[in-house]
Amino acid sequence: MSNLWVAQVLGTIADLLEIQGEEQFKAAAYRRASRAIAHSSEDLLGLAREGRLRELDGVGKSLAAKIEEILATGSCRYLEELALEVPLRVRELLDLPGVGPRTASRLFRELGITGLEELEVALGNGSIERLPGLGAKRAAAIARGVAELKSARAAGHPLGQVLPWAEALRARLAAASGVQEVTICGAARRWRETVDVLELVAAADPPEPLREVFQQLFAPYQVQIGAPHHLSAQGGPAGPVELRIVPPGRHVAAVHQCTGSTGHLVKLRRWAERRGVQSGEGVATPDGMPPAVTGEPQLYGFLGLQYIAPELREGRDEIEQAAAGLLPDLVEAADIRGDLHVHSNWSDGTASLEELAAAVPGYEYLAVTDHSVSLAITGGLDARRLQEQKEAIARVNAQHPDGTRLLSGVEVDIRRDGSLDLDDQVLAGLDVVVAAIHSGLRQDRATLTSRLEQAVKNPHVDIIGHPTGRLLGGRQPDLPDLEHLLAMAAATGTAFELNGSPERLDLNDTWARRARSHRVKLSLASDAHSLAGLKDLRYGLGMARRAGLEAPDLLNSRPLGDLLRR
Ligand SMILES: [Zn+2]
Ligand SMILES: [Zn+2]
């Protein structure tokens, strides 16, 4: 996971160089290297050890040295020097639509603006529109951008950004001397779709080396030290980070507390008090816990409760359910037998059929569902190409009788008038048909609902893909009448998708819960367009667990024979 970390540091340097505006070639080299590393499937540490860093796009001798420095220390002095000239916070301005490095540089140099707050003040007192070359129109556009960015930030950072970064950070921290364990806590551990603060708990003895590593990693940012073993930093690609360092004996308690949610902990404390257990023990504060509690399951057991998984700790009715022994038996990764929505290089994916068949050895099946013809931009398949692909899939399956079985499928587009992009006769010949909307997402609720309704009614459609069409941090179409559609799907036996693509998470946990109560089956999908994307199924799994789904609620838990018989 060190690749992501290094890519992030190099990308930050590129931003600062661009804003500084003096060495554009250098900035471009850092940018290229950052991208090459982020997309490289080779482990950077391995490349460095073999002296092969310069094989990467944009990497020359001096950049290779910087990469080695980052691999060794987590940061680099060059970044710290640059940050003295251009404060890191100026990069915030680049997140605004229409603000590139040149404008950001002018805002900083000519008006001393280093972040959103100062920018808002300057917008308010008219100094932005008076800036030569900007004017009232652009100032208004920037003001709109600021408002949008602030509301997006208030919701937190998308889990799909936070988690990979958290894992990279955890790996680095875990390598510090004296560290026994580092756990990702907070909203990220609960798989919430947005995370406001990334919270980590580390068991370390002694704590000092870890503290130094953290301070070094975030040296260019502002590190604050609260209590001696409670550090926080504002920087990083996915928002603020907090690290609590505890002695190994207090790790379980601290992890439990930092996982939250606040609502859950408050209710748990009340529950403990009613049972006459000291609340300090009951909620497992870092200072006191009963000696027998060596893990969270024992902690809940001690309180007379079923184990409550982090995904359910939202302060709803989970404690009452746990007390009554009624918690769902949540689906687990091991229950998942395959992925039911994957793109290959026959449309806009990058992986070949052979690569997909070999990608996840544990999968019993994997449905190849490329786009259909009306999505011309994706190289969507028509009936003839689909038939060819079906034959190619049969050949791959025949060559690897013991491997993952590829299923022939399609992600058929639901057109603007609600008709499907391929004839029923074509769909009837496939193993898996996912139907989804990709265009006309600005239509009103009634129209969107009726389009989806036609797809649900089609007997050849197995799954409704990314049902709401939302993109996190972007497009928010009118929500179709999902209650109505779910009721209908329960009657037709059509499944709804839990699309794990990080920018979608669609259905979300709330609607997945509703689907379950309508007894509509759900289909976990990565919607991967590359081999790396196959891992995104885990976000769908996170949503499923938050929704309280059990293995039988999902199509993907079925053995191949059952699945094909439906
Ligand atoms: Zn799609
Ligand atoms: Zn897709």
Side-chain angles (χ1 to χ4, degrees):
M1 289 305 282
S2 54
N3 289 29
L4 193 67
W5 188 272
V6 175
Q8 149 69 12
V9 175
L10 297 181
T12 304
I13 292 175
D15 285 347
L16 295 186
L17 284 170
E18 281 172 3
I19 294 169
Q20 203 185 41
E22 283 158 21
E23 300 181 89
Q24 293 307 329
F25 284 114
K26 206 168 173 183
Y30 275 89
R31 181 74 65 208
R32 278 216 311 282
S34 168
R35 290 202 178 121
I37 290 168
H39 294 131
S40 167
S41 53
E42 287 207 67
D43 178 42
L44 212 52
L45 269 173
L47 279 182
R49 238 177 262 131
E50 294 162 22
R52 292 169 52 212
L53 286 175
R54 293 175 68 177
E55 290 173 18
L56 291 163
D57 188 25
V59 176
K61 193 174 159 199
S62 104
L63 229 156
K66 302 278 193 320
I67 293 173
E68 283 175 355
E69 186 187 349
I70 300 166
L71 284 170
T73 69
S75 184
C76 83
R77 268 183 310 246
Y78 184 48
L79 174 58
E80 289 169 37
E81 285 163 19
L82 281 172
L84 290 178
E85 291 179 39
V86 182
L88 280 165
R89 276 187 57 225
V90 177
R91 292 167 59 241
E92 275 190 3
L93 304 176
L94 298 176
D95 291 339
L96 294 165
V99 175
R102 278 186 54 194
T103 309
S105 173
R106 290 191 62 197
L107 294 173
F108 168 57
R109 289 187 195 290
E110 296 174 34
L111 298 172
I113 291 168
T114 59
L116 288 188
E117 287 83 16
E118 288 118 321
L119 180 57
E120 270 191 302
V121 173
L123 282 163
N125 65 26
S127 43
I128 301 293
E129 58 183 279
R130 283 197 299 273
L131 211 59
L134 250 68
K137 215 168 149 189
R138 283 203 54 202
I142 291 174
R144 273 197 305 278
V146 171
E148 279 167 22
L149 196 60
K150 277 180 71 179
S151 78
R153 290 237 174 117
H157 293 262
L159 181 64
Q161 280 174 25
V162 175
L163 201 57
W165 185 63
E167 287 164 341
L169 181 58
R170 177 177 60 188
R172 284 215 70 90
L173 296 176
S177 97
V179 175
Q180 291 191 3
E181 207 174 342
V182 181
T183 309
I184 297 168
C185 298
R189 184 165 179 238
R190 305 198 312 275
W191 291 82
R192 272 185 66 100
E193 65 182 44
T194 53
V195 176
D196 46 1
V197 180
L198 171 59
E199 297 178 65
L200 297 161
V201 171
D205 186 19
E208 287 78 14
L210 176 58
R211 210 166 62 195
E212 274 162 33
V213 167
F214 186 88
Q215 283 176 298
Q216 194 178 27
L217 280 175
F218 289 96
Y221 302 93
Q222 275 178 332
V223 176
Q224 282 169 359
I225 302 178
H229 304 308
H230 189 167
L231 293 89
S232 63
Q234 290 306 312
V241 183
E242 288 185 14
L243 170 68
R244 288 177 56 179
I245 309 174
V246 297
R250 297 224 299 258
H251 188 239
V252 172
V255 163
H256 181 252
Q257 188 149 75
C258 283
T259 298
S261 66
T262 309
H264 175 78
L265 293 178
V266 167
K267 287 191 171 179
L268 193 63
R269 182 188 293 264
R270 270 192 227 129
W271 167 263
E273 282 167 1
R274 276 205 302 273
R275 288 175 59 89
V277 180
Q278 281 182 9
S279 64
E281 291 172 340
V283 295
T285 64
D287 303 306
M289 65 181 323
V293 173
T294 52
E296 288 184 337
Q298 290 87 340
L299 170 69
Y300 285 96
F302 175 78
L303 292 169
L305 296 170
Q306 274 183 301
Y307 174 59
I308 302 176
E311 293 92 333
L312 296 178
R313 298 181 200 164
E314 292 294 341
R316 290 186 286 245
D317 59 352
E318 67 271 14
I319 290 172
E320 290 80 355
Q321 284 199 30
L326 292 174
L327 281 180
D329 181 12
L330 293 186
V331 57
E332 292 176 17
D335 297 319
I336 304 305
R337 293 169 184 262
D339 193 333
L340 292 173
H341 180 166
V342 177
H343 296 271
S344 77
N345 59 6
W346 283 62
S347 70
D348 60 347
T350 57
S352 67
L353 298 176
E354 286 81 2
E355 286 171 323
L356 287 174
V360 189
Y363 279 171
E364 200 174 322
Y365 46 81
L366 184 150
V368 180
T369 55
D370 278 309
H371 291 289
S372 61
V373 62
S374 75
L375 289 183
I377 198 169
T378 66
L381 308 184
D382 59 14
R384 189 180 56 82
R385 289 275 292 154
L386 207 50
Q387 180 58 33
E388 286 170 15
Q389 190 191 46
K390 211 174 134 181
E391 288 158 17
I393 285 174
R395 282 195 297 276
V396 173
N397 284 335
Q399 279 158 14
H400 308 281
D402 299 324
T404 300
R405 163 87 174 266
L406 293 184
L407 304 178
S408 64
V410 73
E411 179 178 9
V412 62
D413 192 45
I414 302 172
R415 292 189 289 220
R416 283 165 193 267
D417 63 358
S419 64
L420 296 181
D421 199 21
L422 290 164
D423 290 340
D424 281 3
Q425 192 194 339
V426 176
L427 301 179
L430 298 169
D431 296 324
V432 175
V433 175
V434 178
I437 290 182
H438 297 93
S439 58
L441 280 149
R442 290 215 176 82
Q443 290 175 334
D444 60 28
R445 173 180 168 95
T447 312
L448 288 169
T449 304
S450 114
R451 286 168 77 187
L452 289 166
E453 194 179 294
Q454 291 179 62
V456 169
K457 278 185 189 156
N458 185 310
H460 303 294
V461 170
D462 302 304
I463 299 158
I464 301 296
H466 44 77
T468 75
R470 72 164 179 174
L471 290 179
L472 288 173
R475 184 178 67 207
Q476 299 296 326
D478 272 3
L479 195 65
D481 186 348
L482 286 173
E483 288 291 347
H484 167 72
L485 291 165
L486 288 170
M488 182 175 274
T492 58
T494 313
F496 269 54
E497 188 172 79
L498 272 179
N499 191 301
S501 173
E503 65 270 20
R504 291 193 182 275
L505 304 183
D506 182 13
L507 296 175
N508 67 8
D509 50 351
T510 311
W511 281 107
R513 207 173 262 271
R514 291 300 303 148
R516 183 180 196 230
S517 60
H518 279 280
R519 297 178 186 276
V520 169
K521 294 288 179 231
L522 288 143
S523 168
L524 277 193
S526 66
D527 200 354
H529 287 70
S530 66
L531 290 179
L534 290 167
K535 289 202 194 79
D536 292 339
L537 190 107
R538 64 181 180 152
Y539 297 106
L541 183 64
M543 293 304 115
R545 288 172 59 86
R546 284 182 61 81
L549 300 189
E550 304 186 333
D553 296 322
L554 296 170
L555 290 185
N556 319 55
S557 65
R558 298 188 182 179
L560 181 62
D562 282 10
L563 185 78
L564 292 180
R565 225 174 291 125
R566 51 174 263 113

